[in-house]
Amino acid sequence: MEVILRGVRGSIANPAAETAYYGGNTACVELRSDGGALLFFDAGTGLREAGENLPRQGECHIFISHGHADHIMGLWFFKPIHSPDWTTHLHLPDKLERLPDHFYETGLFPVPFSALKGAIIRHSVRTGELVTIGAGKTKLELEPFAVCHPGGGLGYKVRADNALFVYTGDHEITGTAASLAEAGNILRGANIAVVDAMYRKEDYVPGWGHSAWEDWVEAAAGAGARNLVLTHHEPRRTDRELDALDNRLRDLARPDRLNMYVAREGMRFVPSGPIPFTRYGSDWLLLFLEEIARYRDINAVLDRILAKAREITHADAGTIFLVEGDELVFAYTHNDSLFPVDNAHRYAYAAVRMPLSRLSIAGYAAVSGQSLNLADVRRLPPGVQYSFNSSFDENTGYRTVSMLSLPFFDKSGNVSGILQLINSIDPRGGAPCPFTSSMEFNARLLAGQASSALEHSMQERKGIYGILRMAAVHDPSETGPHAERVGSVAAELYQRWAEKGEAVPDRERIRYEKNRIRLAAMLHDIGKVGISDLILKKPGKLTDEEFAVMRGHTEIGADILDDDASDIAALARDIALCHHQKWNGRGYPDIDGKAPAGESIPLGARIVAVADVFDALVSPRCYKNPWSFEAALDLLCREAGEHFDPVLVECIMDIRDMLPLIYERFPDTPQGGENTAGAGGAVSRGSSEGERA
Ligand code: C2E
Ligand code: SIN
Ligand code: SIN
Ligand code: FE
Ligand code: FE
């Protein structure tokens, strides 16, 4: 079963700039059963759009909740009723059987009812009388129920495909205990319930036949419903106000796993929840560009581009490669089948490169600047130069079928990377399908529009590398790879810490903070530019006097970062100043006469303390040999509660299997620090010539 919201307004259509996002059409919900039945609940103005792309021949059922104009207006403009090969079953509540005649025969519409070309079959529906459509496994059973609305009306419970869909039409919860209990019964066990929530408590008008959303939230408690969709929005309700409602719903953490949504035109649901949402307009692209403009870290930008590209193409997996010299460097990947969402980012650190040549699929797209839309990578068109490398599939058991590869272009028109999407999955389940041409079109639009954000984030990283190169003139340990490793370990520690601490993690905030912390952590030792080489490069132990000078790198770093007002610089300053503070208060430098302890040390600095010491221990230094990962983690555990925040030590133990991936990705090499894809020097060269390894 799939449910599509076609019209979400009550009373009267209001298409306007301030309603464009949620939509201005009146009541209409489409339901498609797995067996192919097509049903509509109410025929408000949203019905028109739904009819535009239906075939000339076919059949549908329209269930009307009641005769108010906002629930029937769209019928006139439903294209199929003008097609001789289409049959419309019109299910009308008792006593409304004559409604179409009335509307068509009194001059409200130019074509009389009798002259419509399509077949229209009327049925009467009554409370308590089941309606069945189809038979056997594909049978749908509809149970009409009476609702509270002036003049009466019907809601419908639909059982099909082992799921329950509920539509209330217009229904007022009066706020009494009895009314709330009745509403709870309406919702009971529903997989998807689309309900009238025209009002907020503050503007609710008793007796007008509509509910306030707060009452539905209360009524839903214990009803065992899974997805509650609030619709029939007051026509003046602006997008901004509905956004505020959406935020409120997110904040209401529900122990009973009920998900609540503000209805939006074009939104689609399956019994388990919403299908990632693509609107037919192009506002998704504007919203996406606004979203990624907030991120400055290239990892975050890649993650968002890939997530959106997968959403609009229903791709099960995807990878972004960046062009570096004569190679394609694997920069980011997602794969839902192999690693579920909360683990996906681990594979961001896979260290894979392949030659920029026409022999691989991604290479061909990069060299030719063309997009390749392949329905089946094992049946390539005859005579093509490229071939599919199946080593990834062989190593993982994954099965790549369809693949869409398209280039990102930089400002000068050169290919800067490749977006590769794999296995477009029908959201209703089933085998991978080819990417459609509209998916390809949208993905190209996305890649084209997102490439400047990508370029900005590469420039940002280049800027940081530039600063680090200045520091590296003094201290060879302060290289790009060292900073990348500390930045990555700090970013992952932060994500783990945040997910541990929140019952319902706010992914968007975590992602934003993670982006900030990675960049800020990279600059933690920038103050070493102000320390003499004689001390920095001293092969042996520092004397007390020398170490006293050395400690000054924290304050020098903070001073350097002080005059930049950006929020990343503010965090970088905290980190530079406090990354040698200790949880027990015995770190440095003194601030207002005393070294801070515990949670009065900024979180970012506590995180970098763990990441930096880990990196210092496992790396060679002019004053020490590298330790093993185990020995380094042992030391961190011994120092939990002394040097380090004990929760963060737990976090690094939680992510310990990511550490080797990060270190493989950013090894110390003479070339380190030059590239912006985040990859270190020449790693794993030749380890894979494939699409992904
Ligand atoms: P770094 O090399 O990046 O080390 C960062 C931190 O890692 C050190 O902060 C320390 O907490 C930890 N660490 C590094 N090596 C070891 C080790 O072998 N054992 C243990 N238990 N911890 C270790 P710290 O001590 O505040 O030092 C800050 C910076 O001062 C170091 O940054 C390094 O640049 C310099 N430094 C510290 N000790 C020496 C030394 O003996 N000789 C020289 N040449 N430089 C030193
Ligand atoms: C990253 O910073 O690694 C990408 C963002 C994310 O994992 O959410
Ligand atoms: C992802 O979206 O793949 C990264 C996981 C996250 O957003 O936290
Ligand atoms: Fe330091
Ligand atoms: Fe460091």
Side-chain angles (χ1 to χ4, degrees):
M1 162 191 305
E2 179 177 338
V3 168
I4 310 174
L5 307 182
R6 296 294 188 175
V8 300
R9 292 281 154 187
S11 306
I12 190 165
N14 183 13
E18 63 274 14
T19 60
Y21 184 71
Y22 287 92
N25 280 307
T26 65
C28 180
V29 179
E30 177 175 335
L31 184 151
R32 289 164 178 267
S33 76
D34 294 351
L38 175 61
L39 280 66
F40 294 97
F41 294 88
D42 280 331
T45 63
L47 182 64
R48 187 200 58 81
E49 168 77 28
E52 289 307 292
N53 295 312
L54 289 173
R56 291 184 57 81
Q57 189 175 6
E59 182 182 62
C60 72
H61 295 261
I62 301 180
F63 289 83
I64 301 294
S65 67
H66 64 297
H68 290 161
D70 52 324
H71 294 252
I72 55 174
M73 281 280 307
L75 196 56
W76 291 216
F77 297 92
F78 182 54
K79 212 161 148 187
I81 62 169
H82 302 286
S83 161
D85 300 318
W86 189 274
T87 303
T88 303
H89 293 271
L90 197 53
H91 298 262
L92 296 155
D94 224 3
K95 302 192 200 75
L96 284 184
E97 288 91 346
R98 305 262 334 132
L99 187 96
D101 313 76
H102 175 75
F103 259 86
Y104 281 93
E105 306 301 341
T106 50
L108 291 173
F109 190 71
V111 185
F113 192 58
S114 51
L116 293 177
K117 294 204 189 72
I120 298 185
I121 301 172
R122 290 187 237 199
H123 307 264
S124 290
V125 275
R126 287 178 196 82
T127 330
E129 283 181 21
L130 290 186
V131 180
T132 54
I133 296 172
K137 263 196 150 133
T138 60
K139 183 167 98 172
L140 284 88
E141 208 170 66
L142 292 96
E143 180 190 334
F145 59 89
V147 292
C148 175
H149 196 60
L154 294 178
Y156 294 92
K157 291 189 179 186
V158 186
R159 291 183 183 81
D161 309 326
N162 295 316
L164 174 63
F165 166 73
V166 173
Y167 177 69
T168 65
D170 291 358
H171 176 62
E172 178 169 357
I173 304 177
T174 58
T176 63
S179 169
L180 285 166
E182 186 198 343
N185 279 330
I186 290 175
L187 299 179
R188 188 148 328 275
N191 295 81
I192 308 163
V194 179
V195 304
D196 170 0
M198 182 140 172
Y199 296 124
R200 307 171 292 209
K201 273 284 188 212
E202 61 197 273
D203 46 33
Y204 165 66
V205 190
W208 283 18
H210 304 285
S211 304
W213 68 269
E214 292 93 334
D215 283 332
W216 281 113
V217 173
E218 198 175 337
R226 290 305 311 279
N227 299 288
L228 178 64
V229 185
L230 305 172
T231 192
H232 207 271
H233 307 312
E234 212 283 335
R236 292 175 205 83
R237 191 83 75 229
T238 62
D239 290 340
R240 195 177 285 278
E241 289 168 320
L242 290 171
D243 275 345
L245 172 56
D246 194 46
N247 285 332
R248 290 286 303 281
L249 296 178
R250 276 175 223 231
D251 289 346
L252 292 169
R254 303 283 307 197
D256 53 2
R257 303 203 309 146
L258 172 74
N259 299 310
M260 297 183 284
Y261 305 91
V262 178
R264 192 178 161 202
E265 245 172 68
M267 213 173 180
R268 304 191 297 165
F269 291 84
V270 287
S272 56
I275 298 176
F277 176 55
T278 313
R279 236 170 102 88
Y280 32 81
S282 57
D283 59 345
W284 65 268
L285 186 57
L286 295 175
L287 291 165
F288 175 70
L289 293 175
E290 273 170 33
E291 185 198 335
I292 53 171
R294 300 170 56 229
Y295 296 102
R296 286 166 63 184
D297 172 31
I298 187 168
N299 299 63
V301 171
L302 292 171
D303 180 73
R304 292 298 83 206
I305 293 175
L306 200 49
K308 182 56 72 178
R310 290 177 55 228
E311 180 188 323
I312 63 176
T313 59
H314 302 156
D316 183 53
T319 296
I320 295 178
F321 299 91
L322 295 177
V323 173
E324 259 174 44
D326 57 358
E327 289 182 312
L328 271 181
V329 178
F330 175 106
Y332 211 81
T333 195
H334 283 176
N335 187 316
D336 278 355
S337 298
L338 289 180
F339 20 93
V341 180
D342 57 337
N343 271 329
H345 63 280
R346 289 173 190 230
Y347 298 85
Y349 300 107
V352 179
R353 314 181 143 234
M354 59 186 182
L356 193 55
S357 94
R358 289 177 181 264
L359 299 181
S360 68
I361 296 173
Y364 187 90
V367 175
S368 69
Q370 288 171 13
S371 54
L372 287 182
N373 187 353
L374 303 169
D376 184 346
V377 292
R378 287 182 182 73
R379 285 164 210 225
L380 295 176
V384 296
Q385 277 173 284
Y386 50 84
S387 62
F388 171 63
N389 179 312
S390 58
S391 61
F392 176 86
D393 282 14
E394 277 153 22
N395 291 336
T396 58
Y398 190 75
R399 190 170 167 83
T400 302
V401 182
S402 55
M403 184 183 271
L404 175 62
S405 308
L406 30 105
F408 291 102
F409 294 97
D410 66 16
K411 278 197 295 287
S412 352
N414 300 316
V415 174
S416 55
I418 294 294
L419 169 63
Q420 188 164 76
L421 299 160
I422 293 155
N423 288 358
S424 181
I425 304 289
D426 184 327
R428 277 166 287 175
C433 319
F435 291 88
T436 65
S437 49
S438 72
M439 287 175 181
E440 183 180 340
F441 176 84
N442 280 331
R444 286 173 68 160
L445 199 61
L446 173 70
Q449 296 296 312
S451 52
S452 75
L454 193 57
E455 225 171 317
H456 277 139
S457 64
M458 287 184 190
Q459 291 301 335
E460 178 87 23
R461 192 61 61 98
K462 270 200 183 125
I464 291 181
Y465 274 87
I467 297 169
L468 292 170
R469 262 198 306 275
M470 285 184 349
V473 171
H474 280 278
D475 180 357
S477 75
E478 292 311 313
T479 58
H482 162 68
E484 288 279 9
R485 293 191 301 261
V486 173
S488 293
V489 174
E492 300 307 334
L493 278 175
Y494 167 75
Q495 182 171 345
R496 184 69 200 135
W497 178 88
E499 284 169 356
K500 249 183 149 87
E502 291 173 40
V504 184
D506 176 346
R507 295 226 163 262
E508 208 171 301
R509 214 204 62 247
I510 294 177
R511 203 177 278 130
Y512 182 70
E513 286 304 316
K514 186 178 179 185
N515 131 89
R516 234 159 59 94
I517 220 156
R518 188 191 304 268
L519 295 180
M522 290 177 78
L523 296 168
H524 70 278
D525 266 342
I526 193 64
K528 284 186 179 173
V529 291
I531 306 296
S532 149
D533 279 15
L534 296 175
I535 295 178
L536 276 174
K537 294 182 180 161
K538 179 175 170 176
K541 245 192 143 9
L542 298 178
T543 64
D544 288 353
E545 295 77 50
E546 287 165 336
F547 197 61
V549 175
M550 185 65 219
R551 291 172 169 191
H553 80 280
T554 50
E555 281 149 320
I556 297 170
D559 285 345
I560 293 172
L561 292 159
D562 209 20
D563 53 355
D564 182 335
S566 80
D567 68 338
I568 289 179
L571 179 61
R573 188 183 172 283
D574 279 353
I575 290 175
L577 185 63
C578 293
H579 70 282
H580 289 293
Q581 300 296 355
K582 293 186 179 178
W583 184 254
N584 61 16
R586 300 209 192 110
Y588 63 88
D590 283 355
I591 296 169
D592 299 329
K594 191 166 163 283
E599 290 188 352
S600 58
I601 306 166
L603 172 67
R606 271 146 50 208
I607 289 174
V608 170
V610 175
D612 183 37
V613 172
F614 180 79
D615 192 65
L617 293 175
V618 301
S619 303
R621 288 284 194 269
C622 58
Y623 63 93
K624 60 173 276 295
N625 287 323
W627 298 20
S628 70
F629 281 24
E630 289 68 34
L633 289 173
D634 272 358
L635 179 128
L636 297 183
C637 290
R638 281 201 306 279
E639 289 290 325
E642 291 298 327
H643 189 156
F644 306 111
D645 177 343
V647 176
L648 290 167
V649 174
E650 269 174 40
C651 291
I652 199 166
M653 295 311 284
D654 293 343
I655 64 161
R656 60 190 301 173
D657 56 331
M658 286 179 83
L659 299 171
L661 295 172
I662 294 172
Y663 277 73
E664 225 180 279
R665 176 66 182 267
F666 304 115
D668 282 309
T669 66
Q671 297 174 1
E674 291 307 322
N675 65 66
T676 50
V683 291
S684 314
R685 204 177 276 270
S687 75
S688 164
E689 320 249 52
E691 290 307 316
R692 298 150 298 146

